[in-house]
Amino acid sequence: MRTQYLLLAPTILAALGCQSLPQRQSGSQLAETSNQICTPVNAVDSIQLNAQPNGDAAKTIRAEPDAREQRFEIVEVIAVNGACAGNLQLYRMDNLLLANGSWVRRDAQNDVGPREPLSLEEDIINHDEPHPRASGRFVMAFRVGYRRANEALITDYVGVWQKGNAAVVSGYSSSPATGFTTPRAVFTSELPIRSVSYFPSPDTASGRLGVVQEQTGGSARMIGIDWAHQGFFNKLG
């Protein structure tokens, strides 16, 4: 099994008027989504975060019946604007990953500031790394966690597949012995998705999904979803 994962480099749809992404400059960098190189220093002044009503995002998100069996609840929606909005690649709780591989943080008032880098390389699956086949174009995935079944170590993930102007976020598993399971949809989005992340809750099979949903003009929307998934991955095999 691979022991280190590179950072994602998703492609924003040309149909939305966004530019194609150049190749990564190094294995630890992300492709740019705009001409401006954003750093933790200038991102403080070039990313504006504003809370939105949860219903705005709910109109574009449809949870699958299996995901709704327990808890699937949108708990926050944040509009991302400014010159560096196109450089936002990943959102995990209060931490934001930029296109050059650097991190910034947000506070309770959604003000952005610099922070030390996080080590999530082993959690992020890049678009060109091994992944299961599914309908659509694979964008990226994020590790949910580990479990054991019949003494085998299994790794669970959530991943993004682009389908035209929409996207599907699905769960899947992998093990050294059996490879990948068939992805199982968690929810669909009417708009493209740059990335999804996961932050686990303690002691329960649940956590926070962090979704970066594409908006027009290079802006984005961060959507936090509380998801309880007891038994979801067990059904995959």
Side-chain angles (χ1 to χ4, degrees):
M1 294 181 64
R2 186 166 53 87
T3 58
Q4 184 174 4
Y5 301 130
L6 304 181
L7 294 175
L8 61 130
T11 301
I12 306 305
L13 292 181
L16 293 179
C18 300
Q19 298 177 352
S20 297
L21 302 182
Q23 296 296 315
R24 286 174 293 172
Q25 296 178 358
S26 72
S28 63
Q29 289 180 318
L30 296 171
E32 297 296 341
T33 58
S34 74
N35 290 326
Q36 177 170 342
I37 303 300
C38 292
T39 68
V41 175
N42 64 21
V44 172
D45 297 319
S46 302
I47 291 181
Q48 288 84 48
L49 305 179
N50 296 285
Q52 291 184 326
N54 293 351
D56 290 352
K59 296 175 183 177
T60 68
I61 298 291
R62 180 176 63 84
E64 295 299 316
D66 287 344
R68 296 196 303 265
E69 285 180 0
Q70 300 176 64
R71 186 185 184 195
F72 184 93
E73 181 182 358
I74 295 176
V75 293
E76 73 169 356
V77 178
I78 307 294
V80 185
N81 295 291
C84 286
N87 284 260
L88 173 63
Q89 296 296 291
L90 190 99
Y91 139 68
R92 189 172 189 247
M93 302 298 285
D94 293 333
N95 303 300
L96 313 180
L97 178 62
L98 302 179
N100 64 353
S102 58
W103 291 84
V104 296
R105 62 169 179 81
R106 59 170 180 141
D107 61 20
Q109 289 73 44
N110 285 318
D111 292 327
V112 176
R115 67 148 296 134
E116 294 297 316
L118 295 179
S119 298
L120 293 180
E121 288 87 354
E122 294 189 1
D123 294 310
I124 299 171
I125 307 299
N126 199 14
H127 73 287
D128 56 358
E129 298 183 81
H131 57 272
R133 293 184 178 275
S135 177
R137 175 181 59 82
F138 180 70
V139 177
M140 57 81 66
F142 198 94
R143 185 174 64 190
V144 170
Y146 300 103
R147 58 188 169 91
R148 288 196 174 272
N150 298 323
E151 299 185 356
L153 181 64
I154 298 174
T155 309
D156 298 324
Y157 301 90
V158 285
V160 181
W161 278 263
Q162 200 70 43
K163 300 182 69 174
N165 288 332
V168 178
V169 171
S170 298
Y172 67 92
S173 303
S174 71
S175 71
T178 61
F180 294 114
T181 62
T182 300
R184 184 181 182 193
V186 177
F187 69 89
T188 58
S189 167
E190 295 179 357
L191 298 171
I193 289 177
R194 295 182 191 175
S195 65
V196 63
S197 69
Y198 180 83
F199 189 87
S201 299
D203 305 322
T204 62
S206 63
R208 175 73 57 85
L209 297 173
V211 178
V212 179
Q213 187 187 61
E214 189 67 33
Q215 303 287 285
T216 58
S219 60
R221 183 157 58 190
M222 304 190 312
I223 306 172
I225 302 172
D226 282 351
W227 179 41
H229 50 83
Q230 181 70 43
F232 178 90
F233 291 99
N234 293 334
K235 296 178 182 178
L236 300 178

